[in-house]
Amino acid sequence: METVLSGIRPTGNLHLGNYFGAVQSFVKLQDAYQCFFFIADWHSLTTHPRPENIRQSVKTILAEYLACGIDPEKATIYVQSDVIQVAELYLYLNMNAYLGELERVTSFKEKVRKQPDNINAGLLTYPSLMAADILIHKANKVPVGKDQEQNMEMARKFARRFNTIYNVAYFPEPESFHLSDKALKVPGLDGSGKMGKSEGNAIYLIDDEQTIQKKVMKAVTDAGPTHPNSEKPEAVANLFALMEIVSSQDTCRYFNEKYNTCEIRYGDMKKQLAEDINAFCTPIRKKILEITADTTYLDQVARRGAQKATESAAQTIREVREIIGFRP
Ligand code: AMP
């Protein structure tokens, strides 16, 4: 049976980008595949969080995963740092990862530009840790958003390289998985780019109705089109893109027509969008609050996940050690 794997860094709450980029696909796949879903707490160390923040965020993300419909009876849900074998595979992959190729990764170059005072080796080797996360379970499919395509290419490269160096057909080449025909980029509401935690433009699944309404009403737009059927500037296109994701086809068609006939009132559109986002988020938010209160259940899910993920990872490491030439 093919294996699916997905993960999220616990650096805040889940936002609509995480949900529609990765979690939604995973929820759909968990019935038919062997699935691993993990909380990437090692990855989060690149930004040096405080211990109490890590503890809290891991618990929060776990509750949010469960509230989104990831079912611990079907999928293995685990915390990355509970599976020590991932660190061993990361070490092996790093030995065959070259400085030049790591420095060329776009997200690394972006981090260098944005945070010049904290360019640590963890940031540089982020693609090898991500490859270790995937290859440790020999995953075939990885639900990810568009922003992860280059890291996925690196994971494939590292898998191929390992197979070539040791002349084995051991690691499968993992492919990105998306529900539609191409990777999804959920836009932010600040006029450009993607929705993200560090971008400060995210709508979180835990946001209450007023917060969501305020965020949407503040979204960047313009004075409106002056010619029929004109092209949408990026900020407006983003608003429509978000609507395509959360609203019905009829709603999208209605506002597109209004735009094309220059009759659009962004206030009305935002009100509708906020309503549709709320209709989507409210039931999930209620579940998040319910599950977060049940610490015993969360501990139980994490413990069981750690055990199952460790079994799978230990087998890979046993085989990898033998391939490399170490004692079993
Ligand atoms: P991160 O929050 O950066 O740890 O990302 C976790 C997962 O969410 C990855 O699979 C990302 O590709 C996905 N993701 C994050 N932001 C977006 C976005 N704006 N659009 C689509 N997918 C996203």
Side-chain angles (χ1 to χ4, degrees):
M1 191 199 282
E2 284 200 311
T3 299
V4 178
L5 172 130
S6 195
I8 291 190
R9 285 171 299 142
T11 48
N13 296 87
L14 286 188
H15 53 73
L16 292 179
N18 297 136
Y19 183 85
F20 290 105
V23 180
Q24 187 188 35
S25 311
F26 195 88
V27 171
K28 297 226 158 109
L29 293 177
Q30 65 184 345
D31 286 314
Y33 294 89
Q34 158 155 278
C35 284
F36 292 93
F37 211 135
F38 72 101
I39 299 171
D41 56 350
W42 274 330
H43 282 285
S44 75
L45 294 183
T46 54
T47 55
H48 308 151
R50 310 279 318 143
E52 58 275 20
N53 291 347
I54 296 192
R55 271 181 224 119
Q56 187 53 45
S57 305
V58 166
K59 197 177 138 198
T60 306
I61 294 277
L62 182 55
E64 292 185 341
Y65 272 174
L66 295 165
C68 288
I70 296 175
D71 181 348
E73 299 299 322
K74 296 176 185 162
T76 301
I77 307 173
Y78 66 97
V79 180
Q80 184 185 34
S81 63
D82 281 341
V83 182
I84 191 74
Q85 290 82 357
V86 175
E88 187 171 338
L89 185 57
Y90 171 51
L91 183 148
Y92 299 147
L93 296 178
N94 269 336
M95 297 299 171
N96 302 318
Y98 297 101
L99 182 61
E101 64 188 346
L102 294 169
E103 280 178 335
R104 279 195 297 276
V105 173
T106 314
S107 52
F108 176 70
K109 288 197 281 193
E110 241 170 60
K111 288 273 156 53
V112 170
R113 196 172 47 80
K114 280 194 191 155
Q115 50 182 68
D117 299 333
N118 180 27
I119 309 164
N120 55 62
L123 277 179
L124 181 72
T125 58
Y126 198 99
S128 7
L129 183 52
M130 179 161 155
D133 291 325
I134 298 168
L135 300 179
I136 198 76
H137 302 298
K138 298 166 87 176
N140 312 91
K141 289 185 168 31
V142 184
V144 279
K146 197 172 167 50
D147 56 323
Q148 292 296 336
E149 272 182 350
Q150 200 179 14
N151 284 334
M152 285 303 300
E153 191 44 60
M154 296 291 278
R156 284 190 283 275
K157 196 192 265 187
F158 292 149
R160 273 197 302 272
R161 195 172 287 164
F162 181 93
N163 290 347
T164 308
I165 290 174
Y166 295 104
N167 195 20
V168 286
Y170 184 67
F171 286 123
E173 284 188 33
E175 47 176 88
S176 310
F177 178 86
H178 352 98
L179 285 174
S180 60
D181 53 351
K182 58 181 176 24
L184 189 68
K185 182 178 96 174
V186 179
L189 291 175
D190 50 356
S192 67
K194 66 159 191 163
M195 180 177 290
K197 282 169 252 201
S198 39
E199 284 74 6
N201 61 7
I203 294 182
Y204 295 98
L205 300 178
I206 192 71
D207 281 344
D208 62 32
E209 297 194 5
Q210 288 86 336
T211 308
I212 288 178
Q213 196 174 11
K214 259 196 225 150
K215 284 184 179 177
V216 175
M217 295 317 278
K218 273 201 339 221
V220 175
T221 47
D222 59 8
T226 47
H227 301 290
N229 302 317
S230 48
E231 202 182 317
K232 299 181 180 99
E234 190 179 6
V236 175
N238 283 352
L239 208 58
F240 274 94
L242 207 53
M243 190 165 242
E244 296 279 343
I245 293 169
V246 293
S247 304
S248 70
Q249 282 183 356
D250 282 350
T251 304
C252 296
R253 205 173 306 124
Y254 173 83
F255 285 102
N256 264 308
E257 270 168 28
K258 291 281 173 204
Y259 185 87
N260 288 335
T261 52
C262 305
E263 293 168 306
I264 185 111
R265 288 156 54 139
Y266 291 125
D268 292 348
M269 181 179 175
K270 288 176 179 179
K271 214 166 138 230
Q272 181 67 50
L273 182 61
E275 222 171 84
D276 294 340
I277 294 177
N278 269 321
F280 169 77
C281 287
T282 302
I284 297 184
R285 185 179 68 246
K286 286 186 179 151
K287 272 198 216 139
I288 296 175
L289 296 174
E290 236 173 74
I291 298 173
T292 306
D294 195 347
T295 327
T296 318
Y297 174 62
L298 289 176
D299 279 350
Q300 190 192 324
V301 169
R303 221 170 314 117
R304 201 162 134 228
Q307 197 186 350
K308 277 166 58 189
T310 301
E311 274 167 31
S312 152
Q315 181 174 338
T316 304
I317 284 296
R318 259 196 309 276
E319 291 163 356
V320 165
R321 288 180 73 102
E322 198 182 326
I323 291 171
I324 293 180
F326 291 142
R327 283 190 299 109

